[in-house]
Amino acid sequence: QIQLVQSGPELKKPGESVKISCKASGYTFTDYAMHWVKQVPGKGLKWMGWINTYTGKPTYADDFKGRFVFSLEASASTANLQISNLKNEDTANVFCARGDNYWWYFDFWGPGTMVTVSS
Amino acid sequence: DVVLTQTPPTSSATIGQSVSISCRSSQSLLDSDGNTYLYWYLQRPSQSPQLLIYLVSKLGSGVPNRFSGSGSGTDFTLKISGVEAEDLGVYYCVQGTHDPLTFGSGTKLEIK
């Protein structure tokens, strides 16, 4: 069955970096995009951007340009998100979500990775 | 960015009752390709969101047919015909017509 398994919770200090992974199984990894979505605890959802899993090209929403990097380990069917120079406002649950390449819906989601930034 | 305004912010329903949630967009969501990229997701407590509806009215895989979507342009509605206990959670409309993709603020459905 289709699954997205994300790496575990992270506790970091401001200025540090974090790398979150999202391992896909049960389908051909390169047939679907991978999107990233942020949710501050108790708040709504915000789209961070996506990566074309066939070409490796990332696209970032404006608020996530500069410190955020989407990457792939295609041989391992894994998408990664690295955040550098962490700030308190990066504290959030981050989801990866499989994106349909034609209709742009997210049909499978990972369980989320909680990133806590605190001094 | 496109702003999606959902009403009501909170709704309370008894089992079997029908519920409607509105989503109003700050811009038309009709794309130049003729499609309207409007989706509905449900996030149950402590869970990841799940797809309910795509392209305004198409039911996601495995989604019960008590869920239906309608609308066009800037006004959209999600209807639940006969609420069940498992339907509690936060409902989000999402648009993918305009970059960046944006989420509505959410409608929390409580079961009485």
Side-chain angles (χ1 to χ4, degrees), chain B residues 15-16 27 43-44 47-49 61 64 70 72 82:
Chain B
I15 302 298
Q27 299 179 39
Q43 186 174 29
R44 295 190 175 103
Q47 292 189 20
S48 306
S61 176
S70 63
S72 64

Side-chain angles (χ1 to χ4, degrees), chain B residues 4-33:
Chain B
L4 299 177
T5 302
Q6 289 184 232
T7 53
T10 304
S11 183
S12 186
T14 55
I15 302 298
Q17 187 178 346
S18 290
V19 168
S20 290
I21 298 169
S22 171
C23 175
R24 179 161 290 177
S25 174
S26 60
Q27 299 179 39
S28 174
L29 299 185
L30 177 62
D31 192 74
S32 56
D33 67 5

Side-chain angles (χ1 to χ4, degrees), chain A residues 39 103-106 109-111, chain B residues 35 39 41 43 48-49 54 103:
Chain A
Q39 185 170 39
W103 308 125
W104 269 70
Y105 54 72
F106 307 154
W109 294 64
Chain B
N35 292 309
Y39 317 91
Y41 292 84
Q43 186 174 29
S48 306
Y54 65 102
F103 289 82

Side-chain angles (χ1 to χ4, degrees), chain B:
Chain B
D1 296 1
V2 171
V3 176
L4 299 177
T5 302
Q6 289 184 232
T7 53
T10 304
S11 183
S12 186
T14 55
I15 302 298
Q17 187 178 346
S18 290
V19 168
S20 290
I21 298 169
S22 171
C23 175
R24 179 161 290 177
S25 174
S26 60
Q27 299 179 39
S28 174
L29 299 185
L30 177 62
D31 192 74
S32 56
D33 67 5
N35 292 309
T36 299
Y37 296 92
L38 187 283
Y39 317 91
W40 290 94
Y41 292 84
L42 164 60
Q43 186 174 29
R44 295 190 175 103
S46 301
Q47 292 189 20
S48 306
Q50 63 178 93
L51 176 69
L52 297 174
I53 301 282
Y54 65 102
L55 296 180
V56 179
S57 60
K58 298 183 183 300
L59 219 54
S61 176
V63 176
N65 59 13
R66 64 179 180 274
F67 292 94
S68 62
S70 63
S72 64
T74 60
D75 289 294
F76 304 91
T77 301
L78 174 72
K79 184 176 181 180
I80 311 171
S81 300
V83 166
E84 298 191 4
E86 65 181 18
D87 298 338
L88 88 163
V90 181
Y91 290 80
Y92 294 96
C93 59
V94 181
Q95 70 81 25
T97 299
H98 301 283
D99 184 34
L101 182 147
T102 50
F103 289 82
S105 50
T107 293
K108 184 175 184 178
L109 178 62
E110 300 170 339
I111 307 297
K112 290 179 186 173

